[in-house]
């Protein structure tokens, strides 16, 4: 049982790394970024390519840096110019970016599945409660918890974190009070995209790399954001860990329904509490 | 040089044109009221200043510079703090965090957390409570305190008396007069005649999105004021 719980935490941690980027971008730009799964995929491939030449750790760092830069470019070149347009226009543009990035990945890395190995340091298993458990999944849990703790501290104690929290609820009022939300948005979209890249590399040894690898996990990340409460960072963490458990135990005990369970959870939460776990009742 | 001027501004929300050639100015240290019935475009003046409504013609002038497409944060960074209608309290932040948000422009001056807590002791006593846990009057104190944290040259107040008890409105009137006496210009967008009379010295009347009258408030009777703002 403990092993299965840990597996669920590892998957939930991955979902959190991806979903928290969506939360960051949704909060400030008020858009649902359909390209986020493709950015996860691109980060994965970039890490894969760097790791093939150097090593896993440089792949991890290189992908984080490259995707952060891509995120800054995405905000400056795409999201900011579209800020005065209807949100649906921006959503459709992000969907277009998804298609472009998938075509780009197909052209560069091909359609066939690629695999990326965990580094030697993280290979093998450890005994937990008398059962073997992969070291790499402990690493995934560790990275997720470190990111969650780091983000929480940043949001809670730093001045920029205060601005991000304020703008995640009301970006217009935050800007009217004097916060340069354009500069803040560069930071937030860069960070969110960088985390998508980080999660892509962290996930790579656990899943096959393909141009469409981001699609399913993106849908589950959307469920995390909705269940956690739009714009809520703590809600996203709670929802990701819960959906990780549902995903894992569902696959074991209700395999015929396992892909449905996260959606059923979302429907149930929306009926019970339409604003999600951490949203305010209206 | 005026702290704020509107120069023949036409402003729209999408296709809807709300302001038509609006022109006014607020000089340093002035106490100016903008009057008008509901729906004549008073709040659109604030929204235009904040870049929420779009300028289609004319320009706003801040510190001598003309702007036709101001960003939301431009006014605050030009020394103009705005107390929004509805107060704009951030519900996920504590009282102290809401106040600190007002200091984001980093303008030097006498207003800091200590000065605001001296002015409104209830905010200091409940500094770690959520902003929305306050009563209406206390929320207005928070919104005003947050605006003061920006150490503004001009304080723009959009319907500050809305939903408040008469005794609180009296306190606000005293506060606005005191701030003006200390050198902060006041622009009061309001329908409460008592508050207007106690605070403002000059006025503009807005009707159907246009300034139709202006002058010194000293020359206006209560009945004339009433005629301008009664629905």
């Amino acid at each position: 049982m403990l092993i299965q719980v840990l597996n669920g935490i590892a998957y939930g941690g991955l979902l959190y790394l991806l979903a928290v980027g969506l939360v960051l971008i949704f909060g400030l730009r008020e858009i649902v970024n359909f390209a986020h799964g493709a950015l996860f995929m691109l980060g994965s491939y970039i890490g894969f390519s760097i790791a093939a030449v150097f090593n896993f750790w440089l792949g991890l760092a290189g992908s984080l840096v490259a995707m952060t830069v891509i995120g800054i470019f995405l905000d400056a070149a795409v999201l900011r110019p579209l800020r005065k347009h209807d949100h649906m226009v921006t959503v459709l543009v992000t969907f277009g970016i998804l298609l472009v990035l998938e075509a780009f990945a197909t052209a560069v890395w091909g359609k066939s599945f690629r695999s990326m190995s965990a580094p030697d340091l993280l290979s093998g298993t450890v005994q937990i409660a008398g059962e073997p458990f992969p070291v790499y999944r402990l690493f995934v849990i560790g990275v997720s918890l470190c990111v969650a703790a780091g983000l929480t501290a940043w949001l809670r104690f730093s001045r920029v974190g205060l601005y991000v929290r304020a703008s995640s609820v009301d970006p217009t009022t935050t800007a009217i009070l004097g916060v340069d939300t354009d500069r803040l948005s560069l930071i937030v979209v860069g960070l969110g995209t960088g985390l998508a890249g980080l999660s892509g590399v962290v996930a790579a040894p656990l899943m096959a790399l393909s141009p469409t690898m981001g699609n399913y996990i993106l849908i589950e990340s959307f469920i995390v954001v909705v269940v956690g409460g739009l714009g809520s960072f703590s809600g996203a963490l709670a929802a990701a860990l819960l959906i990780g458990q549902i995903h894992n135990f569902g696959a074991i005990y209700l395999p015929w329904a396992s892909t449905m369970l996260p959606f059923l959870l979302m429907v149930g939460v929306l009926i019970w509490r339409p604003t999600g776990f951490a949203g305010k009742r209206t | 040089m005026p702290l704020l001027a509107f120069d023949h501004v036409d402003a729209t929300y999408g296709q809807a044109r709300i302001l038509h050639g609006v022109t006014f100015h607020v000089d340093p240290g002035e106490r100016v009221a903008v009057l008008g019935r509901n729906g004549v475009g008073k709040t659109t003046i604030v929204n235009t200043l904040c870049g929420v409504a779009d300028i289609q013609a004319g320009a706003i002038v801040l510190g001598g510079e003309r702007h036709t497409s101001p960003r939301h944060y431009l006014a605050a960074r030009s020394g103009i703090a705005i107390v929004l209608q509805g107060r704009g309290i951030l519900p996920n932040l504590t009282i102290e965090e809401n106040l600190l948000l007002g200091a984001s422009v980093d303008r030097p001056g006498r207003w800091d957390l200590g000065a605001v807590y001296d002015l409104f002791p209830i905010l200091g006593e409940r500094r770690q409570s959520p902003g929305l846990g306050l009563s209406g009057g206390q929320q207005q104190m928070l919104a005003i305190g947050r605006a003061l944290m920006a150490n503004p040259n001009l304080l723009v107040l959009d319907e500050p008396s809305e939903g408040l008890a008469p005794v609180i409105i009296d306190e606000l009137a005293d506060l606005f007069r005191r701030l003006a006496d200390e050198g902060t210009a006041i622009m009061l967008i309001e329908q409460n005649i008592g508050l207007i009379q106690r605070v403002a010295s000059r006025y503009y009347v807005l009707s159907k999105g246009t300034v139709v009258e202006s002058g010194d408030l000293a020359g206006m009777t209560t009945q004339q004021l009433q005629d301008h703002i009664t629905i």
Side-chain angles (χ1 to χ4, degrees):
Chain A
M1 178 66 89
L2 178 60
I3 295 297
Q4 297 310 328
V5 170
L6 286 173
N7 276 327
I9 293 173
Y11 187 71
L14 268 182
L15 280 178
Y16 171 74
L17 288 178
L18 196 57
V20 77
L22 282 173
V23 172
L24 283 164
I25 295 168
F26 178 85
L28 199 64
R29 285 295 183 202
E30 295 182 310
I31 58 153
V32 178
N33 181 14
F34 274 89
H36 209 64
L39 294 167
F40 164 86
M41 172 275 294
L42 186 62
S44 197
Y45 272 118
I46 289 173
F48 164 81
S49 295
I50 296 174
V53 178
F54 300 100
N55 59 50
F56 174 86
W57 303 106
L58 275 178
L60 193 69
S63 177
L64 178 62
V65 171
M67 295 307 295
T68 300
V69 172
I70 288 171
I72 290 170
F73 176 78
L74 175 71
D75 185 65
V78 180
L79 301 183
R80 188 185 302 177
L82 292 174
R83 68 179 183 274
K84 289 250 176 182
H85 289 73
D86 187 89
H87 289 173
M88 186 53 70
V89 173
T90 312
V91 167
L92 289 174
V93 168
T94 64
F95 190 73
I97 293 171
L98 178 157
L99 298 176
V100 168
L101 289 179
E102 284 187 0
F104 174 76
T106 303
V108 174
W109 290 283
K111 277 187 178 176
S112 55
F113 291 115
R114 304 289 187 114
S115 63
M116 183 171 164
S117 304
D120 293 341
L121 181 67
L122 303 175
S123 299
T125 59
V126 291
Q127 293 291 315
I128 295 178
E131 292 184 61
F133 188 77
V135 174
Y136 190 78
R137 293 192 182 196
L138 287 178
F139 169 72
V140 174
I141 293 171
V143 169
S144 307
L145 293 180
C146 285
V147 168
L151 264 180
T152 301
W154 180 64
L155 291 167
R156 180 70 184 82
F157 299 113
S158 78
R159 196 171 180 186
V160 176
L162 171 65
Y163 301 160
V164 172
R165 280 188 291 139
S167 61
S168 72
V169 170
D170 190 341
T172 303
T173 297
T174 305
I176 288 170
L177 291 170
V179 175
D180 184 344
T181 44
D182 288 333
R183 189 176 300 172
L184 191 64
S185 183
L186 287 177
I187 296 171
V188 164
V189 178
L191 177 62
T193 308
L195 286 174
L198 177 75
S199 59
V201 183
V202 169
L206 301 175
M207 60 197 297
L209 275 66
S210 78
T212 57
M213 66 184 283
N215 293 353
Y216 182 74
I217 197 167
L218 176 69
I219 291 169
E220 289 209 330
S221 297
F222 280 149
I223 295 173
V224 166
V225 174
V226 172
V227 169
L230 290 175
S232 168
F233 301 97
S234 55
L237 179 61
L241 292 175
L242 178 61
I243 290 173
Q245 298 303 328
I246 288 173
H247 179 93
N248 198 54
F249 280 98
I252 296 169
Y253 297 109
L254 292 169
W256 54 273
S258 63
T259 54
M260 270 192 298
L261 290 175
F263 293 94
L264 292 174
L265 172 73
M266 182 172 72
V267 170
V269 168
L270 288 177
I271 291 171
W272 165 63
R273 192 179 170 92
T275 52
F277 286 165
K280 299 279 182 195
R281 283 183 186 275
T282 55
Chain B
M1 181 194 305
L3 295 172
L4 166 67
F6 272 45
D7 181 10
H8 298 91
V9 170
D10 288 6
T12 60
Y13 297 114
Q15 300 297 316
R17 190 172 297 253
I18 309 298
L19 299 185
H20 306 270
V22 168
T23 297
F24 69 85
H25 69 274
V26 183
D27 289 329
E30 270 202 308
R31 292 172 279 122
V32 175
V34 176
L35 323 174
R37 296 178 171 86
N38 278 333
V40 298
K42 299 192 299 297
T43 294
T44 303
I45 287 179
V46 175
N47 286 342
T48 305
L49 175 61
C50 298
V52 173
D54 296 320
I55 296 174
Q56 300 298 338
I60 63 172
V61 186
L62 302 172
E65 284 191 35
R66 293 174 66 83
H67 300 273
T68 55
S69 184
R71 302 310 318 274
H72 295 327
Y73 47 80
L74 178 69
R77 291 178 170 238
S78 302
I80 299 173
I82 298 166
V83 176
L84 297 165
Q85 189 176 25
R87 292 143 198 160
I89 305 300
L90 277 303
N92 61 333
L93 302 185
T94 64
I95 288 168
E96 186 152 300
E97 287 171 337
N98 266 284
L99 290 172
L100 288 171
L101 202 57
S104 63
V105 290
D106 278 331
R107 285 173 57 85
R110 63 168 284 220
W111 293 103
D112 56 17
L113 280 177
V116 171
Y117 290 152
D118 286 343
L119 180 65
F120 301 122
I122 186 69
L123 300 183
E125 290 164 17
R126 302 183 59 182
R127 66 184 70 186
Q128 296 306 326
S129 305
L132 283 187
L134 298 170
S135 69
Q138 291 165 349
Q139 283 187 32
Q140 193 61 274
M141 290 176 195
L142 177 55
I144 294 167
R146 189 176 61 184
L148 293 175
M149 288 286 286
N151 285 296
N153 296 324
L154 168 60
L155 189 59
V156 176
L157 300 139
D158 190 1
E159 306 268 9
S161 72
E162 191 178 45
L164 300 184
V167 64
I168 305 289
I169 295 173
D170 285 345
E171 290 175 12
L172 289 182
D174 291 341
L175 170 64
F176 298 152
R177 284 299 295 256
R178 204 160 69 238
L179 289 171
D181 290 344
E182 291 167 1
T184 306
I186 302 284
M187 179 174 159
L188 182 63
I189 296 168
E190 191 46 82
Q191 295 195 63
N192 184 298
I193 292 171
L195 187 59
I196 293 167
Q197 287 180 316
R198 289 182 62 184
V199 173
S201 59
R202 203 158 63 76
Y203 72 93
Y204 292 92
V205 175
L206 204 62
S207 178
K208 296 179 181 175
T210 303
V211 174
V212 293
E213 192 180 325
S214 64
D216 288 334
L217 211 65
M220 279 189 100
T221 66
T222 301
Q223 184 58 50
Q224 284 172 317
L225 268 174
Q226 189 84 48
D227 291 343
H228 283 308
I229 60 182
T230 303
I231 297 171

